[in-house]
Amino acid sequence: MSKDKPPKHLERQVEEHLPRIRNFIKGRVSNNEDAEDILQDVFYQFLKAMENTQNPIEMVSSWLYRVAKNTIINKAKKKKEDYLPSYWYDEDGFLIEAYALLPKDSELDNPEQSYIWAMVWEELSEVLLELPIEQRNVFEWTEFEGISIKEIAQKTGIPANTLLSRKHYAVKHLRNRLRDLYDEVILNK
């Protein structure tokens, strides 16, 4: 199975169910960006579940609605619990240095710190692969390639708010997954 494109039978199922699931989500979520993020999460979970041939999904429609409902509930809870403030980002959608995940140039000057950051980069590379591709792309484009959210929005046609939302979830996931490493290695220098 290609990692870039799902098999035709899965594409057909996505095309068949996507409009109804989108309407279901939009009827329960207050803004379009959140609705699109939830829709993306639902179908990402669907494709991952369909890769597991030991436990195939038998009632696809019911499964999708259940996952959509649970994702809406989880998103609402997380939004209340763990909101990354917009002031963490500059006007172009880049993380402000004080909140950045990546080292400052001065931290790479000594060999010990360079070694530590090499370990961090290795772990970061693995954790990035856990992200949905849309979130990973926005994070990599802005943080590694220096492309602004505005530029990405212009090139892709995706609304800037959707891109910021995707980046927000990417950063949140990365921070959660790398917190122990950060606490152990970076704060205990």
Side-chain angles (χ1 to χ4, degrees):
M1 184 184 311
S2 168
K3 288 186 179 209
D4 296 327
K5 194 168 182 179
K8 289 285 185 203
H9 73 282
L10 291 179
E11 280 185 40
R12 283 191 297 276
Q13 288 195 6
V14 169
E15 288 171 9
E16 175 187 337
H17 295 285
L18 190 125
R20 287 181 298 210
I21 299 299
R22 176 181 278 131
N23 289 337
F24 174 80
I25 294 168
K26 283 188 173 187
R28 287 155 181 80
V29 175
S30 61
N31 71 52
N32 286 335
E33 288 81 21
D34 285 347
E36 288 301 315
D37 284 345
I38 291 168
L39 184 68
Q40 170 192 319
D41 289 345
V42 168
F43 281 96
Y44 175 77
Q45 290 179 48
F46 171 69
L47 293 174
K48 291 302 260 183
M50 292 301 283
E51 286 177 358
N52 182 0
T53 56
Q54 295 174 352
N55 296 316
I57 299 171
E58 292 182 21
M59 309 238 345
V60 172
S61 184
S62 298
W63 188 93
L64 288 168
Y65 280 105
R66 186 175 68 249
V67 170
K69 183 183 84 166
N70 291 340
T71 306
I72 291 166
I73 291 167
N74 291 340
K75 184 174 183 73
K77 284 180 186 175
K78 286 180 183 176
K79 204 169 198 176
K80 288 177 189 170
E81 293 172 356
D82 200 6
Y83 174 71
L84 281 180
S86 60
Y87 61 79
W88 284 22
Y89 301 98
D90 66 15
E91 65 276 358
D92 292 320
F94 296 104
L95 278 172
I96 295 171
E97 187 173 320
Y99 305 106
L101 292 166
L102 307 178
K104 300 173 189 78
D105 288 340
S106 64
E107 293 180 309
L108 299 175
D109 289 342
N110 99 26
E112 184 180 339
Q113 288 177 332
S114 292
Y115 175 74
I116 289 170
W117 277 109
M119 289 180 1
V120 171
W121 276 103
E122 187 176 317
E123 187 72 20
L124 175 63
S125 297
E126 289 179 28
V127 175
L128 278 169
L129 294 174
E130 297 172 1
L131 293 170
I133 189 72
E134 293 83 1
Q135 292 176 11
R136 183 170 64 236
N137 284 344
V138 173
F139 180 85
E140 289 177 347
W141 290 333
T142 57
E143 294 302 314
F144 298 156
E145 297 178 30
I147 304 171
S148 74
I149 292 290
K150 291 175 191 172
E151 290 176 276
I152 297 168
Q154 289 170 346
K155 289 179 183 178
T156 63
I158 299 169
N161 286 340
T162 300
L163 293 169
L164 281 170
S165 178
R166 289 175 181 173
K167 182 169 180 188
H168 164 85
Y169 288 113
V171 169
K172 192 167 118 180
H173 178 77
L174 292 169
R175 282 186 176 274
N176 287 336
R177 289 281 284 115
L178 297 172
R179 175 140 345 265
D180 291 340
L181 177 67
Y182 183 83
D183 290 345
E184 180 183 320
V185 174
I186 306 306
L187 296 180
N188 294 324
K189 292 192 250 188

